[in-house]
Amino acid sequence: MYKVLIQKKDKGAPLGLSNCVLNDEFNPSIFNEDYGYKPWYNYKEQDNNNLKEEMFLICKLKYVDYEIRNLTKHYYSISNDLVMLLEKYNIRFSEKAKLNIVNIRGEIITNRDYRIVRFGKEIAKNPLEIMYEESFYIKNRRVKLKEIKIRPQVAYPIFKIKDIDEKISCFFFRDTLVKQIIDYTPFVGIDFIGINAYPWSKKTIAKYLEDLSETQPLLLIH
């Protein structure tokens, strides 16, 4: 059985380009500069290594100690606890570096060790390998889901679906790994929901988000 990784609606500043900037050195003036050209902000996935040995996430406001969060399209802030657990399951990272999460004075503002990672391309699986054919259709070369029907032989600890619509792009975690994450990490800022608990069709996603209460999950982590 699989569950979907989601971001909880925790209190704290939302992580976005207006509040946090990823950089390869500490630069308190970065918010006044053009940083969108940096390789880690590139929307297209790259094969080359872009990260320095240490990277900086410079934040204007308080940062919530999430286990994992999107920083950019292809890079994630991830706790070292979760990194070590995923590596035990032989999850490969194309890039990994130490991540210093700091305020504009250069002071560390988290209580835990973090890494910035880019997952290997092999984490994205062919939809026909993962799901039954009636579960999805292709439109404009993107996978659109009707529902999730995972084939019983699928046994990856974690995967994404290749070429899926960005609105529903997410990580799927096997139950055994979910249990270990809950047991062996502080499990902050994230949660897991059953694959049938999220409305995969485009028509119902907007309504679903409208109806969320303050205690319910906010977004898929993609």
Side-chain angles (χ1 to χ4, degrees), residues 72-94:
T72 66
K73 168 67 176 172
H74 299 291
Y75 289 92
Y76 299 82
S77 164
I78 182 170
S79 72
N80 198 43
D81 297 315
L82 185 51
V83 165
M84 291 189 294
L85 183 55
L86 293 179
E87 288 178 336
K88 287 182 181 178
Y89 278 81
N90 297 315
I91 304 302
R92 293 175 54 195
F93 302 108
S94 295

mmCIF file of all heavy atoms in Angstrom, residues 72-94:
data_model
loop_
_atom_site.group_PDB
_atom_site.id
_atom_site.type_symbol
_atom_site.label_atom_id
_atom_site.label_comp_id
_atom_site.label_asym_id
_atom_site.label_seq_id
_atom_site.Cartn_x
_atom_site.Cartn_y
_atom_site.Cartn_z
ATOM 1 N N THR A 72 12.893 24.690 -5.014
ATOM 2 C CA THR A 72 12.698 25.100 -6.397
ATOM 3 C C THR A 72 12.047 23.926 -7.122
ATOM 4 O O THR A 72 11.625 22.960 -6.490
ATOM 5 C CB THR A 72 14.043 25.477 -7.069
ATOM 6 O OG1 THR A 72 14.858 24.306 -7.165
ATOM 7 C CG2 THR A 72 14.785 26.531 -6.264
ATOM 8 N N LYS A 73 11.992 23.988 -8.432
ATOM 9 C CA LYS A 73 11.349 22.934 -9.206
ATOM 10 C C LYS A 73 11.969 21.563 -8.945
ATOM 11 O O LYS A 73 11.271 20.555 -8.827
ATOM 12 C CB LYS A 73 11.441 23.292 -10.691
ATOM 13 C CG LYS A 73 11.092 22.195 -11.667
ATOM 14 C CD LYS A 73 9.632 21.815 -11.613
ATOM 15 C CE LYS A 73 9.305 20.784 -12.670
ATOM 16 N NZ LYS A 73 7.947 20.246 -12.534
ATOM 17 N N HIS A 74 13.299 21.505 -8.820
ATOM 18 C CA HIS A 74 13.975 20.213 -8.727
ATOM 19 C C HIS A 74 14.776 20.008 -7.439
ATOM 20 O O HIS A 74 15.338 18.929 -7.234
ATOM 21 C CB HIS A 74 14.919 20.027 -9.922
ATOM 22 C CG HIS A 74 14.218 20.051 -11.242
ATOM 23 N ND1 HIS A 74 13.366 19.045 -11.644
ATOM 24 C CD2 HIS A 74 14.222 20.978 -12.247
ATOM 25 C CE1 HIS A 74 12.884 19.328 -12.852
ATOM 26 N NE2 HIS A 74 13.375 20.501 -13.230
ATOM 27 N N TYR A 75 14.831 21.015 -6.583
ATOM 28 C CA TYR A 75 15.643 20.908 -5.373
ATOM 29 C C TYR A 75 14.766 20.975 -4.123
ATOM 30 O O TYR A 75 13.796 21.722 -4.070
ATOM 31 C CB TYR A 75 16.697 22.012 -5.331
ATOM 32 C CG TYR A 75 17.795 21.818 -6.362
ATOM 33 C CD1 TYR A 75 17.697 22.387 -7.630
ATOM 34 C CD2 TYR A 75 18.913 21.045 -6.078
ATOM 35 C CE1 TYR A 75 18.689 22.199 -8.581
ATOM 36 C CE2 TYR A 75 19.918 20.855 -7.012
ATOM 37 C CZ TYR A 75 19.801 21.429 -8.266
ATOM 38 O OH TYR A 75 20.782 21.231 -9.204
ATOM 39 N N TYR A 76 15.180 20.202 -3.108
ATOM 40 C CA TYR A 76 14.394 20.067 -1.886
ATOM 41 C C TYR A 76 15.269 20.323 -0.668
ATOM 42 O O TYR A 76 16.436 19.917 -0.618
ATOM 43 C CB TYR A 76 13.818 18.645 -1.769
ATOM 44 C CG TYR A 76 12.894 18.268 -2.888
ATOM 45 C CD1 TYR A 76 13.401 17.808 -4.100
ATOM 46 C CD2 TYR A 76 11.513 18.388 -2.749
ATOM 47 C CE1 TYR A 76 12.558 17.476 -5.147
ATOM 48 C CE2 TYR A 76 10.660 18.051 -3.794
ATOM 49 C CZ TYR A 76 11.196 17.600 -4.987
ATOM 50 O OH TYR A 76 10.358 17.275 -6.021
ATOM 51 N N SER A 77 14.684 20.987 0.311
ATOM 52 C CA SER A 77 15.256 21.044 1.653
ATOM 53 C C SER A 77 14.761 19.805 2.380
ATOM 54 O O SER A 77 13.560 19.547 2.445
ATOM 55 C CB SER A 77 14.772 22.315 2.364
ATOM 56 O OG SER A 77 15.002 22.217 3.751
ATOM 57 N N ILE A 78 15.677 19.041 2.955
ATOM 58 C CA ILE A 78 15.302 17.776 3.580
ATOM 59 C C ILE A 78 16.148 17.562 4.832
ATOM 60 O O ILE A 78 17.353 17.820 4.825
ATOM 61 C CB ILE A 78 15.455 16.616 2.568
ATOM 62 C CG1 ILE A 78 15.041 15.282 3.159
ATOM 63 C CG2 ILE A 78 16.837 16.554 1.991
ATOM 64 C CD1 ILE A 78 14.945 14.162 2.116
ATOM 65 N N SER A 79 15.513 17.150 5.910
ATOM 66 C CA SER A 79 16.246 16.953 7.157
ATOM 67 C C SER A 79 17.259 15.825 6.996
ATOM 68 O O SER A 79 17.035 14.868 6.238
ATOM 69 C CB SER A 79 15.288 16.625 8.302
ATOM 70 O OG SER A 79 14.761 15.312 8.150
ATOM 71 N N ASN A 80 18.378 15.928 7.691
ATOM 72 C CA ASN A 80 19.398 14.884 7.604
ATOM 73 C C ASN A 80 18.864 13.560 8.148
ATOM 74 O O ASN A 80 19.271 12.484 7.692
ATOM 75 C CB ASN A 80 20.653 15.312 8.361
ATOM 76 C CG ASN A 80 21.862 14.493 7.963
ATOM 77 O OD1 ASN A 80 22.070 14.229 6.769
ATOM 78 N ND2 ASN A 80 22.656 14.077 8.923
ATOM 79 N N ASP A 81 17.936 13.621 9.117
ATOM 80 C CA ASP A 81 17.308 12.392 9.622
ATOM 81 C C ASP A 81 16.617 11.638 8.481
ATOM 82 O O ASP A 81 16.757 10.424 8.343
ATOM 83 C CB ASP A 81 16.257 12.723 10.691
ATOM 84 C CG ASP A 81 16.854 13.376 11.919
ATOM 85 O OD1 ASP A 81 17.895 12.886 12.386
ATOM 86 O OD2 ASP A 81 16.277 14.359 12.404
ATOM 87 N N LEU A 82 15.878 12.380 7.660
ATOM 88 C CA LEU A 82 15.143 11.749 6.567
ATOM 89 C C LEU A 82 16.088 11.308 5.457
ATOM 90 O O LEU A 82 15.887 10.253 4.842
ATOM 91 C CB LEU A 82 14.083 12.711 6.021
ATOM 92 C CG LEU A 82 13.139 12.156 4.953
ATOM 93 C CD1 LEU A 82 12.498 10.847 5.394
ATOM 94 C CD2 LEU A 82 12.064 13.183 4.606
ATOM 95 N N VAL A 83 17.125 12.092 5.192
ATOM 96 C CA VAL A 83 18.129 11.698 4.192
ATOM 97 C C VAL A 83 18.719 10.338 4.545
ATOM 98 O O VAL A 83 18.802 9.430 3.701
ATOM 99 C CB VAL A 83 19.249 12.747 4.093
ATOM 100 C CG1 VAL A 83 20.462 12.176 3.346
ATOM 101 C CG2 VAL A 83 18.761 13.998 3.376
ATOM 102 N N MET A 84 19.145 10.168 5.792
ATOM 103 C CA MET A 84 19.777 8.906 6.203
ATOM 104 C C MET A 84 18.809 7.738 6.097
ATOM 105 O O MET A 84 19.191 6.632 5.701
ATOM 106 C CB MET A 84 20.329 9.031 7.625
ATOM 107 C CG MET A 84 21.517 9.970 7.735
ATOM 108 S SD MET A 84 22.350 9.924 9.350
ATOM 109 C CE MET A 84 21.064 10.600 10.404
ATOM 110 N N LEU A 85 17.549 7.977 6.419
ATOM 111 C CA LEU A 85 16.552 6.922 6.324
ATOM 112 C C LEU A 85 16.308 6.535 4.866
ATOM 113 O O LEU A 85 16.258 5.345 4.525
ATOM 114 C CB LEU A 85 15.251 7.375 6.978
ATOM 115 C CG LEU A 85 14.112 6.354 7.037
ATOM 116 C CD1 LEU A 85 14.560 5.058 7.702
ATOM 117 C CD2 LEU A 85 12.918 6.931 7.774
ATOM 118 N N LEU A 86 16.182 7.518 3.985
ATOM 119 C CA LEU A 86 15.969 7.223 2.570
ATOM 120 C C LEU A 86 17.168 6.485 1.974
ATOM 121 O O LEU A 86 16.997 5.585 1.142
ATOM 122 C CB LEU A 86 15.699 8.508 1.794
ATOM 123 C CG LEU A 86 14.392 9.237 2.114
ATOM 124 C CD1 LEU A 86 14.284 10.510 1.275
ATOM 125 C CD2 LEU A 86 13.182 8.346 1.868
ATOM 126 N N GLU A 87 18.360 6.852 2.408
ATOM 127 C CA GLU A 87 19.557 6.182 1.883
ATOM 128 C C GLU A 87 19.616 4.725 2.320
ATOM 129 O O GLU A 87 20.160 3.879 1.600
ATOM 130 C CB GLU A 87 20.811 6.948 2.292
ATOM 131 C CG GLU A 87 20.961 8.258 1.529
ATOM 132 C CD GLU A 87 22.171 9.076 1.926
ATOM 133 O OE1 GLU A 87 22.668 8.901 3.064
ATOM 134 O OE2 GLU A 87 22.621 9.901 1.110
ATOM 135 N N LYS A 88 19.050 4.418 3.474
ATOM 136 C CA LYS A 88 18.965 3.014 3.895
ATOM 137 C C LYS A 88 18.078 2.205 2.963
ATOM 138 O O LYS A 88 18.229 0.991 2.832
ATOM 139 C CB LYS A 88 18.435 2.925 5.333
ATOM 140 C CG LYS A 88 19.430 3.351 6.398
ATOM 141 C CD LYS A 88 18.845 3.196 7.791
ATOM 142 C CE LYS A 88 19.835 3.644 8.855
ATOM 143 N NZ LYS A 88 19.249 3.546 10.226
ATOM 144 N N TYR A 89 17.137 2.889 2.309
ATOM 145 C CA TYR A 89 16.256 2.241 1.331
ATOM 146 C C TYR A 89 16.818 2.354 -0.090
ATOM 147 O O TYR A 89 16.119 2.121 -1.065
ATOM 148 C CB TYR A 89 14.861 2.874 1.383
ATOM 149 C CG TYR A 89 13.988 2.321 2.482
ATOM 150 C CD1 TYR A 89 14.110 2.782 3.792
ATOM 151 C CD2 TYR A 89 13.041 1.332 2.219
ATOM 152 C CE1 TYR A 89 13.297 2.271 4.804
ATOM 153 C CE2 TYR A 89 12.230 0.823 3.221
ATOM 154 C CZ TYR A 89 12.363 1.304 4.505
ATOM 155 O OH TYR A 89 11.559 0.795 5.509
ATOM 156 N N ASN A 90 18.096 2.731 -0.169
ATOM 157 C CA ASN A 90 18.799 2.838 -1.456
ATOM 158 C C ASN A 90 18.193 3.885 -2.391
ATOM 159 O O ASN A 90 18.250 3.748 -3.617
ATOM 160 C CB ASN A 90 18.851 1.481 -2.165
ATOM 161 C CG ASN A 90 19.641 0.453 -1.375
ATOM 162 O OD1 ASN A 90 20.724 0.751 -0.874
ATOM 163 N ND2 ASN A 90 19.108 -0.750 -1.246
ATOM 164 N N ILE A 91 17.603 4.942 -1.816
ATOM 165 C CA ILE A 91 17.146 6.069 -2.618
ATOM 166 C C ILE A 91 18.367 6.904 -2.996
ATOM 167 O O ILE A 91 19.149 7.303 -2.135
ATOM 168 C CB ILE A 91 16.137 6.940 -1.845
ATOM 169 C CG1 ILE A 91 14.950 6.102 -1.373
ATOM 170 C CG2 ILE A 91 15.680 8.110 -2.696
ATOM 171 C CD1 ILE A 91 14.195 5.409 -2.462
ATOM 172 N N ARG A 92 18.523 7.163 -4.281
ATOM 173 C CA ARG A 92 19.698 7.882 -4.774
ATOM 174 C C ARG A 92 19.379 9.358 -5.000
ATOM 175 O O ARG A 92 18.273 9.715 -5.406
ATOM 176 C CB ARG A 92 20.181 7.260 -6.087
ATOM 177 C CG ARG A 92 20.734 5.853 -5.943
ATOM 178 C CD ARG A 92 21.066 5.273 -7.301
ATOM 179 N NE ARG A 92 21.948 6.150 -8.047
ATOM 180 C CZ ARG A 92 22.167 6.045 -9.362
ATOM 181 N NH1 ARG A 92 21.535 5.124 -10.055
ATOM 182 N NH2 ARG A 92 22.992 6.868 -9.970
ATOM 183 N N PHE A 93 20.370 10.183 -4.710
ATOM 184 C CA PHE A 93 20.274 11.618 -4.976
ATOM 185 C C PHE A 93 21.284 11.985 -6.056
ATOM 186 O O PHE A 93 22.455 11.605 -5.968
ATOM 187 C CB PHE A 93 20.555 12.439 -3.718
ATOM 188 C CG PHE A 93 19.623 12.121 -2.574
ATOM 189 C CD1 PHE A 93 20.063 11.426 -1.469
ATOM 190 C CD2 PHE A 93 18.298 12.516 -2.617
ATOM 191 C CE1 PHE A 93 19.206 11.133 -0.410
ATOM 192 C CE2 PHE A 93 17.426 12.233 -1.576
ATOM 193 C CZ PHE A 93 17.892 11.530 -0.470
ATOM 194 N N SER A 94 20.845 12.717 -7.059
ATOM 195 C CA SER A 94 21.775 13.187 -8.095
ATOM 196 C C SER A 94 22.724 14.227 -7.532
ATOM 197 O O SER A 94 23.873 14.328 -7.959
ATOM 198 C CB SER A 94 20.998 13.783 -9.271
ATOM 199 O OG SER A 94 20.230 12.804 -9.914
#
